[in-house]
Amino acid sequence: MRRLLFATLLFLLVSCGGRTTQSNFGGDVSYLAVVKSDIIRTIKLDKDNFENIADYIASVEYIPLDDKRLIGEMTQVVYSDGFYYILDRRVGQILAFDEQGKFAREISHKGRAGNEYIQAWSIDIMPSSGDIAIMDNLGSKILIYGRDGKHKHNIEVGVQATDAKFMQSDSTVVYLMSAQQNLGTPLSKYQIAVNSVGNKDYLASYRLRPVQDGYCGDHALVKGRGRLLFKPIFSDSLYVVGQDASLKCAYHIDIPDSAWDRYYDYTEFVNLLDKDNQLFPWIFENENYLIAYTDYAKKLDPNGRMTTIMYDRREDKTHLFHMLDPNSEQDLEHFFGFNVIGVKEDGFICMISPSIIVSCDLVGKIKRGEIKLKNKDFEKAILGVGEDSNPILTIVKFK
């Protein structure tokens, strides 16, 4: 019944001319349906209207992570049921820390056996079971591990993919296909796939924009507010991925003087103009806010850092912020790091790297009395940090 429902609801976009493409799954590759959206939120970028992010921060919680297991690269953080699951892509491990930052357990199974991954590229928590799903980019599979770290089973996806996220149940997974690594197959022209776990040969795909030449912008899956968002490459829109294998526009990003429209319906690799590079490498959403980062108006930042975009769903308003400066005593009172890396309920998970604390000599300045922080929670968190320490997680909540 589930297969019949998916097959019935899928239809081709008008621009596709009614074609389907045979995939190496043994099934058909078809465009997902783009359906009309009743409400589309507009994120309006105005480079002349920058604000101070500190004015909008309600609270910052600091969680120093203990050093029993060192993190080589904090690639991704997923919070679930009292634990922070951290993907360390450099080492190839997933580390779990509790609410106080105490190390709890790890998954470290690199290899080529059935219960091992070649490259852990992204992680997700399955909604129903709470199991940990690891996208093995090079192994073309999703490995499912229990919270105790024991392997349960695999989901074969058949292509090299960069991200995988489960929808509101454990029965359907959405993943991003890595076009460059699937060259020579019809799948190199597609960006997103919806795969019914109960039917591993079934694939439905969607492509809105061309493949980029080099890393000049990217596509993304965004999990928040009990829904899954998809941002295509070179797109000024974010779409909700529906349980009925449809896409519905949720956000439109109003980008002044953007050249993205010229790339619509391209079928070949393209080079982006410099001003359009890296517009939205990271996007996060919770109940009230959408946070994104962009190189848009980067030259206007005194430190040349990325621009933080915060869209307030309650007020239907977009804010543009400069990054906080760790060399500014005033900014240190609200310092939470440079960017969001995850979502925890009504807050956002961020990270302060020990290299920032060391390079700015923050511990030394505090001990020498050169800076006097009113934020004693921040001072306490960084005083024990050295060059070889783990990062400090921060939980930021906005007003």
Side-chain angles (χ1 to χ4, degrees):
M1 180 65 186
R2 184 177 185 83
R3 297 184 191 182
L4 179 60
L5 179 63
F6 267 68
T8 303
L9 288 170
L10 282 173
F11 59 89
L12 299 178
L13 292 174
V14 174
S15 61
C16 301
R19 291 184 297 106
T20 59
T21 305
Q22 193 71 17
S23 77
N24 59 359
F25 283 70
D28 287 334
V29 176
S30 176
Y31 282 87
L32 299 183
V34 179
V35 300
K36 184 177 179 180
S37 180
D38 297 328
I39 299 177
I40 301 177
R41 305 273 183 160
T42 298
I43 300 173
K44 186 174 179 60
L45 303 190
D46 182 0
K47 64 183 179 182
D48 297 322
N49 187 27
F50 274 85
E51 301 175 79
N52 185 355
I53 194 171
D55 294 338
Y56 292 87
I57 295 176
S59 65
V60 182
E61 177 186 359
Y62 299 93
I63 308 172
L65 302 178
D66 73 35
D67 300 331
K68 289 184 178 180
R69 293 290 190 280
L70 292 178
I71 301 169
E73 175 188 272
M74 191 175 287
T75 310
Q76 182 186 355
V77 181
V78 178
Y79 175 81
S80 178
D81 292 335
F83 291 93
Y84 299 94
Y85 294 90
I86 297 174
L87 169 62
D88 181 349
R89 190 182 292 164
R90 183 185 302 170
V91 178
Q93 61 184 1
I94 293 85
L95 304 178
F97 294 84
D98 67 15
E99 297 269 19
Q100 288 71 47
K102 183 179 179 181
F103 172 75
R105 52 191 172 274
E106 68 178 324
I107 297 175
S108 183
H109 298 297
K110 287 191 71 173
R112 294 182 176 273
N115 63 340
E116 297 174 329
Y117 46 81
I118 302 173
Q119 184 177 50
W121 196 261
S122 66
I123 60 174
D124 190 28
I125 303 298
M126 300 179 73
S128 302
S129 64
D131 290 337
I132 303 161
I134 302 174
M135 181 71 243
D136 182 0
N137 172 261
L138 298 180
S140 302
K141 62 186 177 184
I142 302 169
L143 296 93
I144 310 300
Y145 292 86
R147 291 185 180 244
D148 57 2
K150 294 181 179 180
H151 177 258
K152 289 189 171 182
H153 61 91
N154 296 339
I155 299 171
E156 303 292 336
V157 297
V159 294
Q160 293 190 20
T162 58
D163 196 4
K165 287 183 169 59
F166 285 80
M167 299 186 72
Q168 289 89 336
S169 69
D170 295 354
S171 60
T172 305
V173 63
V174 180
Y175 50 92
L176 298 177
M177 286 179 281
S178 179
Q180 288 92 335
Q181 294 168 328
N182 292 310
L183 285 177
T185 76
L187 300 174
S188 65
K189 296 183 178 180
Y190 296 89
Q191 292 185 23
I192 187 175
V194 177
N195 189 7
S196 174
V197 177
N199 178 6
K200 296 182 177 62
D201 290 331
Y202 176 79
L203 176 71
S205 301
Y206 179 78
R207 173 191 158 277
L208 181 65
R209 305 284 178 170
V211 179
Q212 81 273 29
D213 185 4
Y215 189 72
C216 302
D218 208 346
H219 53 185
L221 289 175
V222 182
K223 204 168 186 179
R225 300 189 65 244
R227 62 183 184 176
L228 190 63
L229 295 174
F230 167 54
K231 186 195 81 66
I233 296 173
F234 308 149
S235 179
D236 55 6
S237 298
L238 280 78
Y239 297 87
V240 176
V241 185
Q243 289 280 35
D244 58 353
S246 67
L247 295 176
K248 180 183 290 187
C249 186
Y251 294 98
H252 170 72
I253 305 168
D254 187 355
I255 310 171
D257 304 320
S258 173
W260 280 9
D261 285 345
R262 74 178 61 187
Y263 304 121
Y264 193 86
D265 279 342
Y266 269 42
T267 57
E268 306 298 330
F269 282 77
V270 299
N271 281 305
L272 275 175
L273 301 178
D274 182 64
K275 66 178 180 179
D276 286 323
N277 288 357
Q278 288 283 77
L279 269 169
F280 301 100
W282 302 297
I283 302 172
F284 300 89
E285 184 192 45
N286 67 11
E287 189 64 33
N288 294 323
Y289 301 102
L290 181 136
I291 298 284
Y293 293 88
T294 174
D295 273 356
Y296 175 75
K298 180 178 178 180
K299 294 179 181 179
L300 299 179
D301 190 293
N303 298 300
R305 298 193 182 101
M306 299 187 80
T307 302
T308 305
I309 300 168
M310 184 176 79
Y311 173 75
D312 188 331
R313 292 177 53 84
R314 300 166 302 178
E315 298 184 1
D316 189 22
K317 187 176 181 180
T318 304
H319 304 275
L320 268 67
F321 301 124
H322 291 305
M323 297 285 194
L324 294 174
D325 183 359
N327 290 301
S328 164
E329 187 169 345
Q330 181 179 357
D331 283 0
L332 284 177
E333 296 298 339
H334 302 278
F335 190 67
F336 57 83
F338 291 131
N339 57 275
V340 174
I341 54 176
V343 177
K344 178 186 177 184
E345 299 162 353
D346 60 343
F348 292 95
I349 305 171
C350 307
M351 176 267 290
I352 301 176
S353 168
S355 63
I356 296 298
I357 297 172
V358 172
S359 64
C360 296
D361 192 24
L362 294 182
V363 175
K365 289 177 180 178
I366 292 173
K367 290 182 176 180
R368 293 190 297 268
E370 297 175 12
I371 56 176
K372 296 185 183 297
L373 295 177
K374 297 178 183 178
N375 188 343
K376 296 304 178 183
D377 290 336
F378 176 55
E379 181 176 304
K380 180 181 178 182
I382 68 172
L383 281 177
V385 173
E387 194 168 351
D388 296 325
S389 299
N390 272 332
I392 298 172
L393 286 185
T394 60
I395 311 300
V396 184
K397 294 184 179 182
F398 293 98
K399 298 176 182 177

